[in-house]
Amino acid sequence: MITKVLLATSLVFTLFACSCKKDSDTTSPGDSANPDWGSQPPLPVVNGEATFHLSGNEFYVNVMGNVQPRTPNFPSLSVKKGVLRGYVADLSGKPIKGAYIGVRVTVIGGSYSGASAETNEKGYYEINLPIGPVHYYATGYTIDYGDGRAVVGLHPADDNTSGFASETGNVENFVLESYGVGDKEEVLHQPSNSNNYYGGSISLDYQVDWDHNVPNYLPADGEIELQLIPQEPGLYGETKSFKIYKKIGYTKLIIVNIPIGKYTIKAKLTDGRELKMREVGTYAGYYPAFGLKPAEAKGSAGILFTPVVGRTPQMVPAHGGNWESTQIQLELP
């Protein structure tokens, strides 16, 4: 629980102290005791191959576009005054235990009180709210990914994490997604920001041989051909591969919203010359379980996406995916 208080009078202190309750017990009886998940719609089919052609001035591509995975069927819950509650599940409708939901409530003088809960084995959480306007500050969960673990964001089932009044209460369900747009407003302003998507991200940099005197730089009149091929089905069975052609010009290419999984990445020029790939950036090698495998390769390598370094589920902002862009430098061997 996070609490920050500015005291003006003993009356304010008494009101605040009474409203700041400890995190709720998610094993409370009632609607959560025997939830009826009902029948679930089939998982989204994500297969085949998508091809993209980028000009020299384009520097990012969202490979899944605005496609949003369908929401599972959640058990029905009634709204309780002064309480935030709901369920967390994966796309198949399987309840998720241990997901973290955190809220802040603004109180007198601009200070705030925090409250949070983790889901129980039925995927249910319940938070008794202090009095005031409520805002979500974290919705996170830790998954097994490759040989490591990654902290990821959760998507609100109704696509809404705007504030509400604690007195009214609210029901908010969340979904663990493998791709999709997070906060649509943020995407409008920062479409190349990896954190705005639930899928993974890759950032490729290269130097251009404008004067024809640096052999390992890329030719100004060339074109890069990239392939992303799943090595195995993704988080929800995704097998879609991607082919991206990028005219050399703007010396960066950011690929966002790639369904979470383990991929082979291939890089060459369209004239057939294979490219050398090298993982770079502040966090290169920081998480040995993630990134480019091996960290330097010619033509082809494996890749596991990189979660934001150092975050716990309590730190993942609502409506965000929590993935870094794995940074790769391209050059001719």
Side-chain angles (χ1 to χ4, degrees):
M1 180 178 68
I2 303 173
T3 306
K4 176 184 176 184
V5 187
L6 296 175
L7 298 178
T9 67
S10 59
L11 178 60
V12 173
F13 174 79
T14 302
L15 173 62
F16 183 74
C18 291
S19 64
C20 272
K21 297 180 181 179
K22 66 178 181 179
D23 293 352
S24 304
D25 180 2
T26 60
T27 60
S28 60
D31 300 276
S32 68
N34 293 292
D36 179 14
W37 287 86
S39 61
Q40 295 293 331
L43 284 168
V45 176
V46 182
N47 57 18
E49 181 180 271
T51 301
F52 303 88
H53 294 269
L54 278 67
S55 70
N57 293 326
E58 294 177 290
F59 68 94
Y60 82 92
V61 57
N62 170 3
V63 295
M64 293 301 292
N66 293 323
V67 176
Q68 203 76 6
R70 62 102 184 94
T71 300
N73 294 327
F74 285 94
S76 177
L77 279 175
S78 57
V79 176
K80 282 184 176 181
K81 289 185 178 182
V83 174
L84 170 65
R85 60 185 187 148
Y87 290 96
V88 180
D90 66 14
L91 280 182
S92 71
K94 179 183 176 182
I96 289 177
K97 179 182 179 181
Y100 181 90
I101 310 298
V103 295
R104 288 195 178 103
V105 179
T106 305
V107 295
I108 296 171
S111 303
Y112 61 81
S113 165
S116 63
E118 291 189 3
T119 52
N120 64 14
E121 67 280 356
K122 301 180 191 304
Y124 178 77
Y125 74 93
E126 182 174 305
I127 303 172
N128 292 325
L129 300 167
I131 297 172
V134 180
H135 299 277
Y136 297 86
Y137 71 82
T139 59
Y141 181 64
T142 304
I143 63 171
D144 293 323
Y145 180 46
D147 294 327
R149 306 200 79 199
V151 176
V152 296
L154 299 167
H155 186 67
D158 61 359
D159 199 29
N160 180 22
T161 50
S162 59
F164 63 94
S166 63
E167 308 91 89
T168 16
N170 196 30
V171 171
E172 191 69 65
N173 301 313
F174 292 89
V175 189
L176 173 63
E177 297 187 349
S178 57
Y179 65 92
V181 175
D183 189 321
K184 292 182 175 61
E185 289 297 322
E186 287 296 322
V187 168
L188 286 175
H189 299 294
Q190 294 182 308
S192 63
N193 186 336
S194 59
N195 263 286
N196 291 332
Y197 303 90
Y198 298 108
S201 176
I202 302 169
S203 177
L204 301 118
D205 293 281
Y206 52 90
Q207 298 291 333
V208 181
D209 187 16
W210 299 107
D211 299 323
H212 307 286
N213 60 3
V214 186
N216 61 317
Y217 285 6
L218 304 194
D221 58 350
E223 186 176 29
I224 299 167
E225 179 184 325
L226 293 167
Q227 281 185 282
L228 286 169
I229 305 165
Q231 295 183 6
E232 56 191 37
L235 197 60
Y236 297 110
E238 298 90 346
T239 58
K240 192 168 189 174
S241 58
F242 304 94
K243 187 175 285 188
I244 301 161
Y245 294 91
K246 168 73 169 72
K247 293 284 188 182
I248 294 171
Y250 197 103
T251 57
K252 180 180 280 293
L253 172 59
I254 302 173
I255 309 168
V256 295
N257 204 18
I258 309 163
I260 300 304
K262 185 178 182 180
Y263 289 80
T264 294
I265 181 170
K266 295 184 177 182
K268 65 179 181 179
L269 297 178
T270 52
D271 64 12
R273 286 180 289 174
E274 291 185 323
L275 293 174
K276 177 181 175 181
M277 295 179 283
R278 178 169 52 90
E279 187 174 357
V280 295
T282 305
Y283 301 115
Y286 188 93
Y287 280 163
F290 309 120
L292 195 68
K293 305 297 178 188
E296 188 171 311
K298 176 184 175 183
S300 179
I303 190 167
L304 282 167
F305 306 121
T306 306
V308 175
V309 173
R311 277 188 183 163
T312 65
Q314 294 85 348
M315 300 165 67
V316 179
H319 250 138
N322 205 51
W323 294 99
E324 299 272 12
S325 278
T326 301
Q327 297 181 50
I328 299 173
Q329 184 78 28
L330 295 178
E331 58 185 33
L332 284 164

